[in-house]
Amino acid sequence: MTDHLAPVDAERGGVVFAPLARSVRALIDATIRTEVDDDTVERARALVEQATELLAAVQMPGSFGVRPTVDGTTAAWGNAAIGLRNPIAPPLVIRYEADGVVRTDVALGAAYEGPPNQVHGGVCALILDHVLGATAHRPDRPAFTGTLTIRYLRPTYLGQLHAEARIEREDASKTFAVGHISDADGITVEAHGVFIRPKTGGVTSA
Amino acid sequence: MTDHLAPVDAERGGVVFAPLARSVRALIDATIRTEVDDDTVERARALVEQATELLAAVQMPGSFGVRPTVDGTTAAWGNAAIGLRNPIAPPLVIRYEADGVVRTDVALGAAYEGPPNQVHGGVCALILDHVLGATAHRPDRPAFTGTLTIRYLRPTYLGQLHAEARIEREDASKTFAVGHISDADGITVEAHGVFIRPKTGGVTSA
């Protein structure tokens, strides 16, 4: 699907696009929390429209996809969980650690709210899907979520959170993973997932 | 938690804040998809920073929460799934229909991507958590997700999608709901959820 795409430059991603996405994340937070008067909202909206017009003057035809980089890795910069160019993504920074556990630490603000002051249950699910799925990825064998079971033990409050996952067992085409989200007081949400690697490979990301 | 908050004006939400959030959603899409040169990205980023500065000059201390409106309903404008002020939210527009089924139709673009051209599995989970949870809500008895089980039948492609859920059975404190996401060719993802209504009520939203 994205095989025809030219490789992207990872350095340019970090220097040019990541700062733009960070600025848009701050704008998202301000859009939710502002209490300025109507005229000021309208002035801000006009600036946003100008920024969009500049950026949309030249753009790729569809979504970002997952592209090769010039240094031989892949870039999932548009990904809703980890995309450095996607302002919707916190973004998660996934660590594949020596003990075989996949870990991430993330601060979630107003944009991820469900019940008052709490992380939306579906945002917890998004994080767990991605972190559990990361245990199943192989460079040339993408993994897709088969089933995901999430158990909410207590409220997950907005703020600093940790998520981690590990492989419970694995066969030729499936990875069974377990994981959780925790705050300073312990685990708030647990998850089990089955991830499937189709027989044909390709450049992708769950 | 948000009981001290002054009621908000639903009309102002629709006229002032919803257009701002819509403009920011277009900016998010452009941020992911732009192919302009570095100088133009930087000019756009400067405009975004100006907009944020205008909006953040006066803002509420924390997240939006769920607030009463002047006409006696509630506003979950910051909600990550349905919030009209939250640019991360598509936003879902939830319909409570006469047959007891909760339905929503939504178009998902580049910002919701996981595998190339597909909706992120975790975004499907977010939508299903919200739609299934909506079956369990009562005006004064908020429901929280207890468990959520999601089965991915085939890829969900970016574009126009439908989601719906209904109550399978219910007791005094729990609602057992089932639902799915579908595209023009049928169901792509199925879900079961157990939602819990704590004994003490309050103004909230899953």
Side-chain angles (χ1 to χ4, degrees):
Chain A
M1 251 176 279
T2 52
D3 296 342
H4 65 288
L5 297 172
V8 295
D9 180 346
E11 193 183 330
R12 185 175 182 230
V15 173
V16 178
F17 294 116
L20 173 64
R22 275 197 293 271
S23 292
V24 178
R25 287 186 195 107
L27 174 66
I28 289 169
D29 187 79
T31 296
I32 297 167
R33 298 173 56 214
T34 189
E35 292 184 330
V36 297
D37 62 32
D38 294 5
D39 287 347
T40 308
V41 172
E42 183 51 30
R43 282 168 54 211
R45 200 185 66 78
L47 290 167
V48 171
E49 291 282 326
Q50 283 176 49
T52 302
E53 198 180 329
L54 283 175
L55 295 171
V58 187
Q59 63 184 9
M60 57 194 79
S63 53
F64 187 88
V66 178
R67 304 183 180 209
T69 64
V70 289
D71 54 356
T73 63
T74 58
W77 292 348
N79 187 284
I82 60 167
L84 73 80
R85 279 184 65 162
N86 188 341
I88 283 185
L92 299 183
V93 178
I94 305 286
R95 306 192 306 271
Y96 296 85
E97 299 192 343
D99 57 2
V101 179
V102 173
R103 295 185 173 86
T104 190
D105 289 282
V106 62
L108 297 181
Y112 301 97
E113 188 176 46
N117 303 321
Q118 296 174 30
V119 180
H120 194 293
V123 172
C124 293
L126 167 63
I127 291 170
L128 287 164
D129 176 62
H130 204 94
V131 174
L132 269 70
T135 68
H137 280 294
R138 302 293 171 273
D140 289 323
R141 294 197 66 192
F144 292 83
T145 316
T147 61
L148 184 68
T149 303
I150 302 171
R151 188 158 158 250
Y152 297 81
L153 305 182
R154 61 183 176 84
T156 302
Y157 290 98
L158 295 172
Q160 190 65 42
L161 295 165
H162 174 81
E164 61 177 64
R166 62 182 173 80
I167 294 173
E168 200 171 46
R169 62 194 174 88
E170 208 164 24
D171 62 28
S173 65
K174 287 182 188 168
T175 297
F176 298 81
V178 294
H180 63 253
I181 292 175
S182 59
D183 60 19
D185 297 323
I187 296 176
T188 62
V189 189
E190 290 177 339
H192 286 73
V194 182
F195 298 86
I196 299 163
R197 283 183 298 277
K199 281 176 185 166
T200 55
V203 176
T204 186
S205 175
Chain B
M1 253 175 278
T2 52
D3 295 343
H4 64 287
L5 296 172
V8 295
D9 180 344
E11 194 183 331
R12 185 174 181 230
V15 173
V16 177
F17 294 116
L20 173 63
R22 275 197 293 273
S23 292
V24 178
R25 287 186 195 107
L27 174 66
I28 290 169
D29 187 79
T31 295
I32 297 167
R33 299 173 57 213
T34 189
E35 293 185 329
V36 297
D37 62 33
D38 294 5
D39 287 346
T40 309
V41 172
E42 182 51 30
R43 282 169 55 210
R45 200 186 66 78
L47 290 166
V48 170
E49 291 282 325
Q50 284 176 49
T52 302
E53 198 181 327
L54 283 175
L55 295 171
V58 188
Q59 63 185 9
M60 58 192 78
S63 54
F64 188 87
V66 179
R67 304 185 180 208
T69 65
V70 290
D71 54 357
T73 63
T74 58
W77 291 350
N79 187 285
I82 61 167
L84 73 79
R85 279 184 64 162
N86 188 341
I88 283 187
L92 300 182
V93 178
I94 304 286
R95 306 193 304 273
Y96 295 86
E97 298 193 342
D99 57 3
V101 179
V102 173
R103 292 185 174 86
T104 190
D105 289 283
V106 63
L108 297 181
Y112 301 98
E113 189 176 46
N117 304 319
Q118 297 175 28
V119 180
H120 194 293
V123 172
C124 294
L126 167 63
I127 291 169
L128 287 163
D129 175 62
H130 203 95
V131 174
L132 269 70
T135 67
H137 281 294
R138 302 292 172 271
D140 289 321
R141 295 196 65 192
F144 292 82
T145 316
T147 61
L148 184 67
T149 303
I150 303 171
R151 190 160 157 249
Y152 297 81
L153 306 180
R154 60 182 176 84
T156 302
Y157 290 98
L158 294 172
Q160 190 64 43
L161 296 166
H162 174 80
E164 61 178 64
R166 62 181 173 78
I167 294 173
E168 203 172 43
R169 62 194 173 88
E170 207 164 25
D171 61 29
S173 64
K174 287 182 186 168
T175 298
F176 298 80
V178 294
H180 62 254
I181 293 175
S182 59
D183 61 18
D185 297 323
I187 296 176
T188 62
V189 189
E190 290 177 340
H192 286 72
V194 182
F195 298 86
I196 300 163
R197 282 182 298 277
K199 280 176 184 167
T200 54
V203 175
T204 185
S205 175

